[in-house]
């Protein structure tokens, strides 16, 4: 199950799952991008439960516990390896690419002019592509966690990019330009049959309105808007140590914080993989809670949840930690 989840998020950059926490079908899990279900041992398929779980996961926008019809479902939205795809290699693209790399994006720049996507011009980017913007779909594979910045030199290039981007998954699509340029592109897309909803998903004019005039200032406004959108909803962090432990192909228990109240060092979605011999990878915050959860996880063979109290105390720095965390235990068998 988790091997498939991590495989999907590695390939697509984003995926979502949901697991029923209680009742007859506790432990039933759904992986959206593969449209597949994982049943606990000794359980068989049940269409009503599957439809209910699928509908809930599809509607969710962030990681957390969703309560529907007295049923609790823990939904996780995983994101990893964000790709910043800059279409147009002009003067604004240079600082956008630099800031994108600084923020941890895999950066691609594409332009129809060969001398605008050279190694010398963009030494820091991961991929440089030369080609007509009409060939975007051939040059750049679709990717769930893709952030498109369209900064071509005219509305023809904008339209060519837009009509292809709107037909594929994306996390963000922004387009630079004057009000006139944006209006022309918008009208053209509507005439071609794209819906108002699709066209309205475009951030145009691109960027936060901070009054930038210089290319670097415009780049800051663009990347600020991308960061704002990226952090609008809470996602599950893909801990590389936990992923590596799962991909070893050894049985164990996945331990996940699904709810927290009060002050806790790690948030919802934090994970720790516990091997059958007690070794661990990742962390759900350390301390007493992690110790007790790790000790319990060694012998877990069915999906279950437990609530742990966070101890209170005042140290030399005057720090106080209190509250509760709800922890999900999922057996991972190979």
């Amino acid at each position: 199950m988790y091997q498939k989840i991590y495989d999907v998020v590695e390939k697509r950059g984003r995926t979502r799952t949901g697991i029923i926490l209680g009742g007859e079908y506790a432990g039933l899990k759904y992986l959206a991008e593969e449209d597949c279900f994982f049943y606990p041992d000794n359980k068989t398929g049940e269409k009503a439960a599957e439809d209910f779980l699928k509908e809930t996961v599809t509607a969710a926008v962030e990681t957390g516990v969703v309560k529907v019809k007295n049923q609790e479902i823990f939904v996780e939205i995983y994101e990893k390896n964000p790709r910043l795809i800059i279409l147009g290699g002009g003067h604004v693209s240079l600082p956008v690419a630099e800031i994108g790399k600084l923020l941890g994006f895999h950066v691609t720049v594409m332009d129809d002019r060969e001398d605008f996507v050279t190694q010398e011009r963009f030494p820091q980017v991961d991929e440089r592509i030369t080609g007509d913007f009409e060939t975007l779909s051939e040059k750049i594979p679709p990717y769930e966690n893709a952030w498109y910045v369209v900064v071509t030199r005219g509305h023809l290039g904008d339209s060519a990019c837009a009509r292809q981007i709107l037909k594929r998954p994306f996390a963000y699509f922004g387009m630079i330009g004057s009000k006139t340029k944006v209006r022309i592109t918008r009208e053209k897309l509507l005439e071609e049959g794209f819906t108002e909803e699709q066209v309205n998903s475009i951030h145009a004019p691109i960027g936060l309105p901070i009054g930038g005039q210089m290319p670097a200032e415009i780049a800051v406004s663009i990347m600020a808007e991308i960061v704002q959108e990226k952090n609008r909803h809470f996602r599950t962090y893909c801990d590389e140590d936990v992923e590596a432990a799962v991909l070893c192909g050894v049985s164990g228990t996945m331990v996940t914080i699904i709810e927290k109240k009060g002050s806790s060092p790690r948030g919802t979605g934090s994970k720790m993989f516990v091997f059958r011999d007690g070794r661990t990878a990742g962390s759900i915050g350390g301390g007493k809670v992690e110790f007790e959860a790790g000790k319990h996880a060694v012998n877990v063979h069915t999906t279950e949840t437990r609530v742990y109290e966070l101890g209170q105390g005042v140290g030399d720095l005057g720090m106080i930690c209190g509250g509760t965390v709800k922890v999900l235990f999922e057996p991972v068998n190979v």
Side-chain angles (χ1 to χ4, degrees):
M1 169 180 62
Y2 269 98
Q3 286 187 333
K4 179 169 282 192
I5 290 171
Y6 284 125
D7 180 57
V8 171
V9 78
E10 181 65 34
K11 291 179 179 177
R12 302 190 183 191
R14 173 184 288 178
T15 192
R16 62 179 65 198
T17 66
I19 184 169
I20 296 177
L21 297 178
E24 182 181 359
Y25 288 97
L28 172 62
K29 193 156 189 166
Y30 175 62
L31 173 57
E33 274 63 33
E34 292 291 296
D35 195 27
C36 62
F37 295 87
F38 304 94
Y39 273 86
D41 292 341
N42 304 318
K43 293 287 185 180
T44 57
E46 172 56 51
K47 190 176 187 307
E50 290 181 354
D51 290 345
F52 172 69
L53 179 57
K54 181 176 180 178
E55 181 180 347
T56 303
V57 172
T58 302
V61 296
E62 64 183 3
T63 292
V65 174
V66 179
K67 297 180 180 180
V68 183
K69 300 178 182 177
N70 298 319
Q71 177 66 68
E72 289 189 332
I73 295 173
F74 178 56
V75 177
E76 289 190 90
I77 299 179
Y78 295 80
E79 287 189 341
K80 185 180 180 182
N81 303 331
R83 295 182 183 176
L84 178 65
I85 301 168
I86 306 169
L87 301 168
H91 58 287
V92 173
S93 300
L94 295 169
V96 171
E98 291 178 6
I99 299 172
K101 286 301 295 181
L102 182 65
L103 293 173
F105 285 82
H106 175 286
V107 179
T108 297
V109 178
M110 179 179 179
D111 199 284
D112 55 358
R113 300 162 291 182
E114 187 174 357
D115 56 339
F116 273 68
V117 282
T118 61
Q119 169 74 32
E120 293 73 24
R121 187 170 172 80
F122 288 100
Q124 77 278 40
V125 306
D126 300 281
E127 192 173 5
R128 292 170 292 276
I129 299 173
T130 303
D132 190 285
F133 293 118
E134 294 285 357
T135 67
L136 186 157
S137 296
E138 302 169 18
K139 303 279 188 178
I140 302 175
Y143 190 71
E144 298 282 342
N145 198 11
W147 302 74
Y148 291 94
V149 173
V150 177
V151 284
T152 75
R153 62 186 184 279
H155 67 269
L156 292 178
D158 292 349
S159 297
C161 293
R163 69 170 62 95
Q164 294 171 83
I165 295 170
L166 291 176
K167 294 177 181 178
R168 55 171 51 199
F170 59 85
Y172 172 92
F173 170 16
M175 188 167 58
I176 201 169
S178 64
K179 290 183 179 179
T180 299
K181 182 182 175 186
V182 170
R183 177 180 55 78
I184 291 172
T185 302
R186 177 185 174 87
E187 290 174 353
K188 188 174 182 63
L189 291 170
L190 291 172
E191 289 172 2
E192 292 177 6
F194 290 97
T195 66
E196 288 275 356
E197 183 179 6
Q198 287 176 303
V199 174
N200 289 339
S201 69
I202 304 172
H203 293 258
I206 196 172
L208 296 182
I210 61 174
Q213 300 295 322
M214 302 295 289
E217 294 176 336
I218 296 170
V220 168
S221 75
I222 291 171
M223 292 310 299
E225 184 174 64
I226 286 176
V227 169
Q228 182 183 69
E229 289 299 312
K230 187 170 178 286
N231 295 328
R232 187 176 297 279
H233 298 292
F234 182 74
R235 310 298 196 205
T236 292
Y237 168 69
C238 290
D239 189 309
E240 291 183 356
D241 291 338
V242 174
E243 182 177 353
V246 169
L247 297 179
C248 283
V250 179
S251 296
T253 301
M254 186 66 76
V255 182
T256 307
I257 294 178
I258 61 173
E259 280 185 327
K260 74 167 189 173
K261 296 179 181 178
S263 176
S264 66
R266 298 295 297 271
T268 301
S270 298
K271 294 183 181 295
M272 175 175 70
F273 186 81
V274 181
F275 296 90
R276 293 299 178 214
D277 61 7
R279 292 178 296 121
T280 64
S283 173
I284 57 169
K288 182 180 178 182
V289 170
E290 184 167 304
F291 174 76
E292 292 183 353
K295 186 171 63 175
H296 176 71
V298 172
N299 298 311
V300 166
H301 297 288
T302 59
T303 301
E304 61 178 81
T305 60
R306 286 194 170 197
V307 176
Y308 292 93
E309 295 283 341
L310 296 167
Q312 295 187 350
V314 181
D316 294 338
L317 298 179
M319 297 177 65
I320 300 176
C321 184
T324 62
V325 291
K326 190 172 185 179
V327 177
L328 172 66
F329 297 86
E330 295 175 273
V332 178
N333 301 313
V334 297

